[in-house]
Amino acid sequence: MCSAAPAALPGLVDLAGDPAVHERYEVVELVGWLAGEAAEVSERFVAPGWRPALESVRPRLLALLDDTDPAVRRAAITLAANGIRHPESAAKLRQRWTVETDRTIRIDLVFALGAVLAWSRDEALREDLKALLADEDPLIGLAAVHALAASDPAVATDEVDLLISGVLNADTVRYQGSEWVGHGPAALVHETGSLLLGDPATATAFARAVARSGDTAKRVAALGHVQQVLSQWRTTTEELLPLLAAHLDDESPEARYRAAALLACVGERGAPYAEQLIARTTDHTVRDARSATTVGDAAVWALARQHHPGCVPGLVKRLSGSRLGFGYASTYYDRTIPILEQPGIGEVLIPLRGHVDALLDAVITRLAKARRDAILASNLCQVIAAWGPSTAAALPVVTRFLDDDKVRPAAAKAIGAMGPAAVSAVDALRRHTSEPAAAWALWRTGADPDRAVAALTDHVTRPDRRHTMIALLADLGPQAASCVDELRSLSRSADDWTRAEAAYALARITGDPTEPVTILTELAYPLAHGDCLPVRIAALRHLADLEATGDRVRELAQAVIDSERRLACSGGWHTFAEDEQACTAASTLVHHD
């Protein structure tokens, strides 16, 4: 809120009140955005003159609640409720309720009164809103639940039937002018469903009911709500699986896509519906007009997550054709963003080690064509690295990528994963030992171990070292003994990733896990309280690999297993993948103990 805002405010109010001005509601909206932002942000971000300027024009702004233009009244309602947090605003809004006849504006008034209740704690207003729960108009009742939930979230779970009825009966086309309902059925389902996410039972009931709507947009939005519920709660999966399976045959391509993609997210839990998914692998309908992704792409992905052989024909076809159907690389975004997109091709292929014989030729062919696409080439090299020694047939193609600066680290790891079978690449690796992964790969071939160890251990002493390079040292075991002092120092680093990889490498090199386990446990322990970061999952996986024991480790592992909520940092399908990683590591620790 810079100094231009208070300077401009009087002129904006003049425009808003002048009937000769066209589109006055847009001016009121602008003032509402400014006032609402100023009410939310820290005082240090608000220009000193803003509050006096707003106070001086408050009567004129509140007078707009009685304007003859309905659009101006709607904008003024939002402004008064969110931006002018003053007792007079509450009084004027309640007064407007007694005389307003426009049905759309009355709905907006209910939402606005809820916003007022959140900052005024007016108990008389609360009772008035509670009375509206019994209104004969289901949309007024729906609005009343939203209004009360703004300050008392428990109201939503108590009134889930009213929420379901209101959403199913809402004609969003009729209320396009509404500030709260007029953004369309998807927004209405999303905003209403969000009120219930804290309670898995009611959130699931809402999803199941709205997913049966005859309105396609509401059904699709209900599947978006299902994603949010599944992303939050492990405990809802079994109850929601039949709903997803039912929508594999929905008339809407987007609904079919979402159903298949969510079955992919839950992985092996979706195995009972493999035959339905196989039938959908030939569904070439694009999910929506903005995307080239098809329903079949999601079905192939879902089968891959189940390690089902039914995914193989679809993957071979996509690797061999012009349209991949998956991302070239992984894409991460915040957990609060409810996006559902296809994963990177590497993420799909890496777990399919059991199908290497059927997939390797297609991967090699696609990699050979990726000479001008470093991102795709790197990801396919990561697949080959994960599949290990059985990929030796890819060596000639992979070796060529050692000359590409952008692909070299991934190509080197792929060669190293082949072990002694990659001995023919030794000369090429020797030329690139300035790349830590190439030095590691040279060691893995067994052809020149002394040179490889010397090159790799030298990297750890350099100031530009990264945690990914430190991780390579763990493989060397006692051969990297010269790095112990450096690693012990790095295990006390302020950087969590450096500390995690240094501690793990230290345990693998010295054979003494005592100190490293303490470090890794401290790094991972916030997971016990649901506080998740990728490095914490990595630390937990290292503990599992070291077969760590002890009361604190056991307590951590059991808390991860017992959590009703998913443990994840990222959004989309990565929410499920990260939670799986944490649970797998925790289960391993409990079993070891």
mmCIF file of all heavy atoms in Angstrom, residues 47 62 64 78 80 83 132 173 224 237 243 277 303 316 338 349 386 411 450 481 500 507 511 516 535 548 550 557 586:
data_model
loop_
_atom_site.group_PDB
_atom_site.id
_atom_site.type_symbol
_atom_site.label_atom_id
_atom_site.label_comp_id
_atom_site.label_asym_id
_atom_site.label_seq_id
_atom_site.Cartn_x
_atom_site.Cartn_y
_atom_site.Cartn_z
ATOM 1 N N ALA A 47 0.932 2.509 3.690
ATOM 2 C CA ALA A 47 1.346 3.922 3.710
ATOM 3 C C ALA A 47 0.695 4.631 4.901
ATOM 4 O O ALA A 47 -0.492 4.425 5.174
ATOM 5 C CB ALA A 47 0.953 4.602 2.402
ATOM 6 N N LEU A 62 -19.771 3.948 2.364
ATOM 7 C CA LEU A 62 -20.869 3.146 2.909
ATOM 8 C C LEU A 62 -22.205 3.556 2.304
ATOM 9 O O LEU A 62 -23.129 2.739 2.212
ATOM 10 C CB LEU A 62 -20.902 3.267 4.428
ATOM 11 C CG LEU A 62 -19.706 2.634 5.161
ATOM 12 C CD1 LEU A 62 -19.820 2.848 6.662
ATOM 13 C CD2 LEU A 62 -19.623 1.143 4.856
ATOM 14 N N LEU A 64 -22.710 3.946 -0.696
ATOM 15 C CA LEU A 64 -22.854 3.187 -1.938
ATOM 16 C C LEU A 64 -23.607 1.878 -1.734
ATOM 17 O O LEU A 64 -24.033 1.244 -2.714
ATOM 18 C CB LEU A 64 -21.466 2.898 -2.533
ATOM 19 C CG LEU A 64 -20.663 4.131 -2.972
ATOM 20 C CD1 LEU A 64 -19.256 3.717 -3.372
ATOM 21 C CD2 LEU A 64 -21.371 4.842 -4.130
ATOM 22 N N THR A 78 -18.803 -5.959 -0.592
ATOM 23 C CA THR A 78 -17.497 -6.578 -0.352
ATOM 24 C C THR A 78 -16.535 -5.592 0.280
ATOM 25 O O THR A 78 -15.787 -5.927 1.216
ATOM 26 C CB THR A 78 -16.919 -7.093 -1.683
ATOM 27 O OG1 THR A 78 -17.835 -8.017 -2.256
ATOM 28 C CG2 THR A 78 -15.585 -7.783 -1.466
ATOM 29 N N ALA A 80 -17.261 -2.956 2.153
ATOM 30 C CA ALA A 80 -17.623 -2.672 3.538
ATOM 31 C C ALA A 80 -17.260 -3.830 4.461
ATOM 32 O O ALA A 80 -16.780 -3.618 5.591
ATOM 33 C CB ALA A 80 -19.120 -2.371 3.629
ATOM 34 N N GLY A 83 -12.951 -4.401 3.884
ATOM 35 C CA GLY A 83 -11.993 -3.301 3.895
ATOM 36 C C GLY A 83 -12.260 -2.200 4.892
ATOM 37 O O GLY A 83 -11.346 -1.472 5.278
ATOM 38 N N LEU A 132 -30.706 -18.097 9.586
ATOM 39 C CA LEU A 132 -30.783 -18.249 8.127
ATOM 40 C C LEU A 132 -30.484 -19.673 7.668
ATOM 41 O O LEU A 132 -30.741 -20.017 6.515
ATOM 42 C CB LEU A 132 -29.815 -17.279 7.449
ATOM 43 C CG LEU A 132 -30.137 -15.790 7.598
ATOM 44 C CD1 LEU A 132 -29.076 -14.959 6.901
ATOM 45 C CD2 LEU A 132 -31.513 -15.473 7.038
ATOM 46 N N VAL A 173 -25.392 -20.198 -13.179
ATOM 47 C CA VAL A 173 -25.629 -19.311 -14.332
ATOM 48 C C VAL A 173 -26.540 -18.163 -13.931
ATOM 49 O O VAL A 173 -26.331 -17.008 -14.322
ATOM 50 C CB VAL A 173 -26.245 -20.103 -15.506
ATOM 51 C CG1 VAL A 173 -26.612 -19.176 -16.653
ATOM 52 C CG2 VAL A 173 -25.273 -21.180 -15.987
ATOM 53 N N GLY A 224 -12.157 -32.876 -8.234
ATOM 54 C CA GLY A 224 -11.104 -32.007 -7.705
ATOM 55 C C GLY A 224 -11.125 -31.991 -6.186
ATOM 56 O O GLY A 224 -10.075 -31.986 -5.536
ATOM 57 N N THR A 237 -9.066 -43.314 1.573
ATOM 58 C CA THR A 237 -8.788 -43.915 0.272
ATOM 59 C C THR A 237 -9.771 -45.010 -0.088
ATOM 60 O O THR A 237 -10.382 -44.998 -1.166
ATOM 61 C CB THR A 237 -7.351 -44.467 0.237
ATOM 62 O OG1 THR A 237 -6.437 -43.408 0.567
ATOM 63 C CG2 THR A 237 -7.016 -45.000 -1.148
ATOM 64 N N LEU A 243 -15.861 -44.591 -6.034
ATOM 65 C CA LEU A 243 -16.299 -43.372 -6.712
ATOM 66 C C LEU A 243 -15.414 -43.096 -7.920
ATOM 67 O O LEU A 243 -15.901 -42.753 -9.010
ATOM 68 C CB LEU A 243 -16.259 -42.204 -5.719
ATOM 69 C CG LEU A 243 -16.758 -40.834 -6.187
ATOM 70 C CD1 LEU A 243 -17.243 -40.027 -4.992
ATOM 71 C CD2 LEU A 243 -15.666 -40.039 -6.897
ATOM 72 N N LEU A 277 -9.102 -49.857 -16.119
ATOM 73 C CA LEU A 277 -8.042 -48.962 -16.587
ATOM 74 C C LEU A 277 -7.466 -49.457 -17.913
ATOM 75 O O LEU A 277 -7.170 -48.654 -18.807
ATOM 76 C CB LEU A 277 -6.943 -48.856 -15.528
ATOM 77 C CG LEU A 277 -7.326 -48.073 -14.273
ATOM 78 C CD1 LEU A 277 -6.329 -48.326 -13.155
ATOM 79 C CD2 LEU A 277 -7.401 -46.572 -14.584
ATOM 80 N N LEU A 303 -1.844 -47.738 -14.387
ATOM 81 C CA LEU A 303 -1.379 -49.132 -14.449
ATOM 82 C C LEU A 303 0.113 -49.226 -14.118
ATOM 83 O O LEU A 303 0.556 -50.188 -13.474
ATOM 84 C CB LEU A 303 -1.657 -49.704 -15.840
ATOM 85 C CG LEU A 303 -3.147 -49.924 -16.159
ATOM 86 C CD1 LEU A 303 -3.340 -50.140 -17.650
ATOM 87 C CD2 LEU A 303 -3.699 -51.103 -15.366
ATOM 88 N N VAL A 316 5.292 -48.257 -24.467
ATOM 89 C CA VAL A 316 6.109 -48.477 -25.668
ATOM 90 C C VAL A 316 5.589 -47.614 -26.810
ATOM 91 O O VAL A 316 6.373 -46.982 -27.540
ATOM 92 C CB VAL A 316 6.097 -49.969 -26.063
ATOM 93 C CG1 VAL A 316 6.731 -50.172 -27.435
ATOM 94 C CG2 VAL A 316 6.838 -50.791 -25.014
ATOM 95 N N PRO A 338 -4.028 -27.066 -6.042
ATOM 96 C CA PRO A 338 -4.697 -28.329 -6.392
ATOM 97 C C PRO A 338 -4.638 -28.648 -7.892
ATOM 98 O O PRO A 338 -5.652 -28.712 -8.578
ATOM 99 C CB PRO A 338 -6.136 -28.079 -5.932
ATOM 100 C CG PRO A 338 -6.327 -26.605 -6.117
ATOM 101 C CD PRO A 338 -4.990 -25.968 -5.839
ATOM 102 N N LEU A 349 8.650 -44.416 -15.370
ATOM 103 C CA LEU A 349 9.434 -45.582 -15.763
ATOM 104 C C LEU A 349 10.329 -46.134 -14.656
ATOM 105 O O LEU A 349 10.530 -47.352 -14.566
ATOM 106 C CB LEU A 349 10.298 -45.233 -16.979
ATOM 107 C CG LEU A 349 9.556 -44.943 -18.288
ATOM 108 C CD1 LEU A 349 10.529 -44.434 -19.342
ATOM 109 C CD2 LEU A 349 8.830 -46.188 -18.786
ATOM 110 N N ALA A 386 18.510 -46.016 -12.778
ATOM 111 C CA ALA A 386 17.701 -46.697 -11.761
ATOM 112 C C ALA A 386 17.526 -48.176 -12.090
ATOM 113 O O ALA A 386 17.416 -49.008 -11.181
ATOM 114 C CB ALA A 386 16.340 -46.016 -11.653
ATOM 115 N N ALA A 411 24.097 -38.931 -17.525
ATOM 116 C CA ALA A 411 24.657 -39.985 -18.374
ATOM 117 C C ALA A 411 25.722 -40.771 -17.615
ATOM 118 O O ALA A 411 25.791 -42.004 -17.699
ATOM 119 C CB ALA A 411 25.243 -39.369 -19.640
ATOM 120 N N ASP A 450 41.695 -46.484 -8.400
ATOM 121 C CA ASP A 450 42.526 -45.515 -7.683
ATOM 122 C C ASP A 450 42.310 -44.107 -8.223
ATOM 123 O O ASP A 450 42.158 -43.141 -7.463
ATOM 124 C CB ASP A 450 44.002 -45.897 -7.783
ATOM 125 C CG ASP A 450 44.320 -47.184 -7.026
ATOM 126 O OD1 ASP A 450 43.513 -47.541 -6.140
ATOM 127 O OD2 ASP A 450 45.341 -47.826 -7.326
ATOM 128 N N ALA A 481 37.990 -43.328 3.002
ATOM 129 C CA ALA A 481 38.367 -43.036 4.393
ATOM 130 C C ALA A 481 39.078 -41.697 4.543
ATOM 131 O O ALA A 481 39.004 -41.060 5.599
ATOM 132 C CB ALA A 481 39.245 -44.158 4.935
ATOM 133 N N ALA A 500 22.564 -34.061 5.918
ATOM 134 C CA ALA A 500 21.983 -35.398 5.742
ATOM 135 C C ALA A 500 22.901 -36.304 4.933
ATOM 136 O O ALA A 500 23.173 -37.447 5.328
ATOM 137 C CB ALA A 500 20.623 -35.284 5.060
ATOM 138 N N ALA A 507 28.532 -42.730 7.816
ATOM 139 C CA ALA A 507 28.177 -44.050 8.347
ATOM 140 C C ALA A 507 28.608 -45.164 7.406
ATOM 141 O O ALA A 507 29.123 -46.205 7.839
ATOM 142 C CB ALA A 507 26.662 -44.122 8.581
ATOM 143 N N GLY A 511 31.537 -47.360 8.883
ATOM 144 C CA GLY A 511 30.884 -48.541 9.444
ATOM 145 C C GLY A 511 30.330 -48.311 10.835
ATOM 146 O O GLY A 511 29.779 -49.226 11.449
ATOM 147 N N PRO A 516 26.080 -40.563 12.990
ATOM 148 C CA PRO A 516 25.193 -40.265 11.861
ATOM 149 C C PRO A 516 23.717 -40.511 12.154
ATOM 150 O O PRO A 516 22.856 -39.738 11.731
ATOM 151 C CB PRO A 516 25.707 -41.198 10.763
ATOM 152 C CG PRO A 516 27.158 -41.371 11.065
ATOM 153 C CD PRO A 516 27.216 -41.419 12.562
ATOM 154 N N VAL A 535 13.964 -33.126 2.451
ATOM 155 C CA VAL A 535 15.194 -33.559 3.109
ATOM 156 C C VAL A 535 14.888 -34.432 4.321
ATOM 157 O O VAL A 535 15.678 -35.314 4.684
ATOM 158 C CB VAL A 535 16.052 -32.336 3.501
ATOM 159 C CG1 VAL A 535 15.395 -31.504 4.597
ATOM 160 C CG2 VAL A 535 17.444 -32.770 3.932
ATOM 161 N N ALA A 548 18.680 -48.382 11.362
ATOM 162 C CA ALA A 548 18.843 -47.702 12.650
ATOM 163 C C ALA A 548 17.855 -48.245 13.673
ATOM 164 O O ALA A 548 16.731 -48.642 13.339
ATOM 165 C CB ALA A 548 18.633 -46.200 12.474
ATOM 166 N N GLY A 550 16.695 -47.930 18.173
ATOM 167 C CA GLY A 550 16.669 -47.028 19.317
ATOM 168 C C GLY A 550 15.274 -46.483 19.554
ATOM 169 O O GLY A 550 14.425 -46.462 18.655
ATOM 170 N N ALA A 557 9.381 -43.526 13.629
ATOM 171 C CA ALA A 557 8.829 -44.411 12.599
ATOM 172 C C ALA A 557 7.370 -44.742 12.878
ATOM 173 O O ALA A 557 6.526 -44.734 11.966
ATOM 174 C CB ALA A 557 9.659 -45.685 12.507
ATOM 175 N N ALA A 586 9.553 -45.802 7.097
ATOM 176 C CA ALA A 586 9.149 -46.017 8.492
ATOM 177 C C ALA A 586 8.833 -47.488 8.751
ATOM 178 O O ALA A 586 9.199 -48.042 9.796
ATOM 179 C CB ALA A 586 7.940 -45.140 8.814
#
